[in-house]
Amino acid sequence: MPVALIDTHTHFDVEDFDQDRIELASLASQQGVQALILIGYLAKYFDRLHVVQDQLNQQQNSPVTLLAPGLHPFYIQQHEDHHLLQLDDFLQSNQCVAVGEIGLDTFTAEMKQPEVYQRQKDFFSQQLEIAKQHDLPVLLHIRRAHADSLAILKQHQFKRGGIAHAFGGGIEEAKAFIKLGFKLGINGLVTDPNARRLRTVVQAVGVEHLVLETDCPDMTPICCRVAGEAHTRNTPVNLPAVLDELSILLNMDKQILAEKLWQNTSQCLALDWKYGHARIC
Ligand SMILES: [Zn+2]
């Protein structure tokens, strides 16, 4: 029996998976992936989250599929004000576990332009308020904007926590997010020996504050990349590779580690699932 795992961050609804999603879901389930979360990024795809959730939840051998709709900061120039209403409506009419992914991203020069960045902050703030109204945690996407993100979370007195997905900050930043009730989402990047900062953060914060994710179709673990391919598509099937690496880094038995990560996930998303017992909610 494979150990039971939850993939807390996927874009398994995107076109890249249209040809073989069902087959991959079945393979992931055989690998122990009992649940996965479909994450939002653009309002025009919110309905697709729901369609793919139905498609997967109707299958016998598929991870339980959960939803977290949100407006991603990297696509800020495509968001319009009425998309916030659309988000609110979607949360009203669908069972969702979080609002995501939301946050701030200053990775490119364009994203750093004052008016673009201000709009990101506005959308982040408004989505925190929406999450509060629905009493939901949030899934954060933060790149090179940790201090500002923390400031906004504090300003809104956001107490519900959630997951800082694909955490890319340092130890002090990690501790600050943990203090605000967040877990750190760890993906295939941790399998890269050059990702020293992330590997150090993982060891410094310890298992109490971590959850697993693939971030598929990106962030393919090193072991799952196909030689000669510039970009090997990542899938939920590869989630155990992240667990394997964490078990080495934290020097922990895989089963014990998996149980702890499951508890962390189920606690921060209020899932109330006993280990190994994911169910459609
Ligand atoms: Zn994402």
Side-chain angles (χ1 to χ4, degrees):
M1 271 284 279
V3 293
L5 307 171
I6 301 172
D7 191 343
T8 63
H9 197 107
T10 81
H11 297 283
F12 202 37
D13 59 311
V14 300
E15 278 177 3
D16 308 48
F17 299 110
D18 282 353
Q19 298 306 315
D20 57 355
R21 186 177 294 111
I22 300 288
E23 196 184 319
L24 289 170
S26 157
L27 284 172
S29 159
Q30 284 167 39
Q31 292 293 316
V33 182
Q34 286 209 358
L36 61 84
I37 307 180
L38 298 177
I39 313 287
Y41 57 106
L42 282 168
K44 65 177 172 181
Y45 299 131
F46 285 172
D47 284 339
R48 191 176 67 188
L49 296 173
H50 184 63
V51 169
V52 170
Q53 181 191 38
D54 272 357
Q55 182 192 24
L56 294 175
N57 281 349
Q58 278 163 20
Q59 302 298 313
Q60 287 255 302
N61 302 308
S62 167
V64 167
T65 301
L66 307 167
L67 303 183
L71 302 168
H72 192 305
F74 193 73
Y75 301 95
I76 191 69
Q77 277 138 319
Q78 295 182 56
H79 302 327
E80 293 172 26
D81 292 345
H82 69 93
H83 292 161
L84 292 163
L85 293 173
Q86 226 175 300
L87 173 62
D88 193 43
D89 283 349
F90 190 90
L91 291 164
Q92 205 81 258
S93 43
N94 295 279
Q95 183 81 33
C96 298
V97 290
V99 173
E101 58 195 289
I102 65 172
L104 300 174
D105 189 326
T106 66
F107 195 64
T108 65
E110 199 186 355
M111 304 298 285
K112 263 186 267 195
Q113 286 172 18
E115 68 281 13
V116 175
Y117 193 43
Q118 186 54 51
R119 195 162 162 78
Q120 286 191 45
K121 288 180 177 170
D122 292 345
F123 268 76
F124 183 30
S125 292
Q126 298 198 57
Q127 292 185 93
L128 287 176
E129 288 304 318
I130 291 174
K132 276 164 80 174
Q133 280 159 27
H134 291 269
D135 192 26
L136 287 172
V138 294
L139 309 181
L140 299 175
H141 167 105
I142 300 159
R143 275 200 297 184
R144 298 184 183 169
H146 289 86
D148 285 345
S149 301
L150 286 163
I152 291 175
L153 286 163
K154 286 180 189 161
Q155 193 188 318
H156 286 268
Q157 300 187 324
F158 191 77
K159 302 263 169 19
R160 197 61 181 72
I163 299 170
H165 132 75
F167 188 75
I171 294 174
E172 289 314 310
E173 289 157 334
K175 287 182 181 162
F177 280 97
I178 289 166
K179 209 171 157 194
L180 291 181
F182 286 85
K183 305 289 181 202
L184 311 183
I186 307 298
N187 61 38
L189 183 64
V190 79
T191 67
D192 184 345
N194 295 320
R196 289 200 195 91
R197 180 149 106 146
L198 174 61
R199 293 165 67 90
T200 308
V201 166
V202 162
Q203 288 176 321
V205 306
V207 66
E208 297 294 318
H209 306 292
L210 307 177
V211 298
L212 295 175
E213 63 173 56
T214 56
D215 200 12
C216 67
D218 300 319
M219 301 310 221
T220 312
I222 300 268
C223 60
C224 311
R225 292 182 199 166
V226 176
E229 257 184 33
H231 170 77
T232 301
R233 180 185 64 160
N234 195 13
T235 83
V237 183
N238 298 332
L239 191 63
V242 183
L243 179 83
D244 292 352
E245 193 66 29
L246 286 185
S247 127
I248 295 167
L249 273 178
L250 298 170
N251 192 22
M252 274 181 83
D253 171 74
K254 270 189 227 178
Q255 180 71 46
I256 295 170
L257 174 61
E259 286 182 31
K260 187 63 200 134
L261 296 169
W262 180 286
Q263 275 171 22
N264 293 348
T265 307
S266 110
Q267 182 222 322
C268 78
L269 300 177
L271 290 171
D272 188 26
W273 289 347
K274 266 195 274 172
Y275 179 68
H277 292 84
R279 59 176 194 273
I280 293 171
C281 41

